[in-house]
Amino acid sequence: MKLIISGGGTGGHIFPALSIAAKVKQKDPSADILFVGAEGRMEMEKVPAAGYPIIGLNVAGLQRHSILKNLALPFKLAQSFFKARRILNQFRPDAVVGVGGYASGPVLWCASHKGIPCLIQEQNSFAGLTNKMLGKKVDCICVAYEGMERFFPQDKLVFTGNPIRAGIAPADDATRNEGIRFYGLNPQRRHILVLGGSLGSRTLNESLMGWIEQGCKGGEDVDILWQCGKYYLTEVEGFMRQHKNPCIHHTDFISRMDLAYAAADIVISRSGASSISELCVCRKATIFVPSPNVAEDHQTFNAKSLVNKGAAMMVKDADAREQLMPKAIKLVHDRQVMKAMEKNMEPLGITDAADRIVEQIYKIAK
């Protein structure tokens, strides 16, 4: 198998892509896998660290707040399409997989026009414009939510779920205790995990900082494990120097997410597709704060798919600074509601999504 995996931009695209690559390698250690990403984006660091080669395209998305930056967009797209064709001609893949992100569009478009079998892994409950356009051209579309025939040809849809990182599983007492020790938490206290994503979330950070400034009301018996994101680390570190609190543990990136989930009683998170998939497998009572800065407001649709099943709660981004932490403090002390949410999450967790996707890759490959 010679396989190209294209896309990235955020951990929500990169970690599923790496899970798929690992499963292909597990099935066939001699498989030749090449990643194609966007220059300057997170995948250019994370993919080589995982042991795979990657080529970057000079491609970017539409900038909502900068007209000047958008002037260069047509030239970047033209360069990216030219380079994508060259990569395909040189590597000659048996199949191409797109996981979303800036780079997946040019690569899948060129591959489909060359007759190379293509697969889309659509992680969200609301498909983006690029994937909707490509859906008619690719051979298979792997999805994680019901009702995706509104966006794609039904005969190409395969329900697989979203791939998750290795080691993500429901916590037992031993794993929970290991997570508590690893992150230096107090085993006698309740634990809230705050996840702003790999790049961070200003809304979640400001919600938490406002609560800390008010004296951590209601959280006298609560420890916070806070992923603030690399973009906000300097700001958060300065804030915490002024508001020293041994019960607040902040970091820019969580490397042992399995132990972070295990230690947590509840989670506060953006509602990216990969985060939702992992939380469903872990069965963690969660309050989602959908990001408003994503295409088609897809994170709201992702969160509602769980809220409607009684498996999660949701706070709108605009309301988070006032409502989020009081709601989280109330939830972390209500074991009955937590247990009900965990039970409702259980049937939504899919642990073999990567295996299902790899099976489809081999079905369509030359």
Side-chain angles (χ1 to χ4, degrees), residues 278-301:
E278 291 184 348
L279 288 163
C280 286
V281 169
C282 292
R283 303 172 207 162
K284 287 294 174 180
T286 304
I287 300 175
F288 289 115
V289 185
S291 171
N293 304 313
V294 294
E296 315 290 351
D297 194 26
H298 66 253
Q299 287 202 6
T300 296
F301 289 92

Side-chain angles (χ1 to χ4, degrees), residues 127-148:
L129 179 62
T130 302
N131 276 356
K132 283 190 284 188
M133 292 172 60
L134 290 167
K136 298 174 183 177
K137 299 178 178 296
V138 303
D139 300 271
C140 179
I141 305 159
C142 295
V143 298
Y145 292 92
E146 300 168 353
M148 297 303 287

Side-chain angles (χ1 to χ4, degrees), residues 177-254:
N177 291 334
E178 183 183 357
I180 290 171
R181 287 195 301 271
F182 186 87
Y183 286 106
L185 306 176
N186 185 335
Q188 305 303 318
R189 300 167 71 87
R190 311 298 292 160
H191 307 128
I192 299 177
L193 173 62
V194 181
L195 298 174
S198 52
L199 304 179
S201 161
R202 177 165 294 282
T203 296
L204 297 191
N205 290 347
E206 289 182 352
S207 299
L208 199 50
M209 288 189 285
W211 178 71
I212 293 169
E213 285 177 328
Q214 295 169 12
C216 303
K217 185 177 180 181
E220 293 78 14
D221 61 342
V222 174
D223 273 5
I224 305 286
L225 178 55
W226 174 15
Q227 183 199 29
C228 62
K230 69 174 185 178
Y231 285 172
Y232 302 101
L233 181 61
T234 302
E235 177 185 349
V236 169
E237 285 184 335
F239 174 85
M240 290 308 299
R241 279 194 293 270
Q242 296 177 6
H243 301 82
K244 296 188 188 313
N245 189 326
C247 302
I248 311 293
H249 307 257
H250 70 277
T251 180
D252 62 330
F253 186 79
I254 294 179

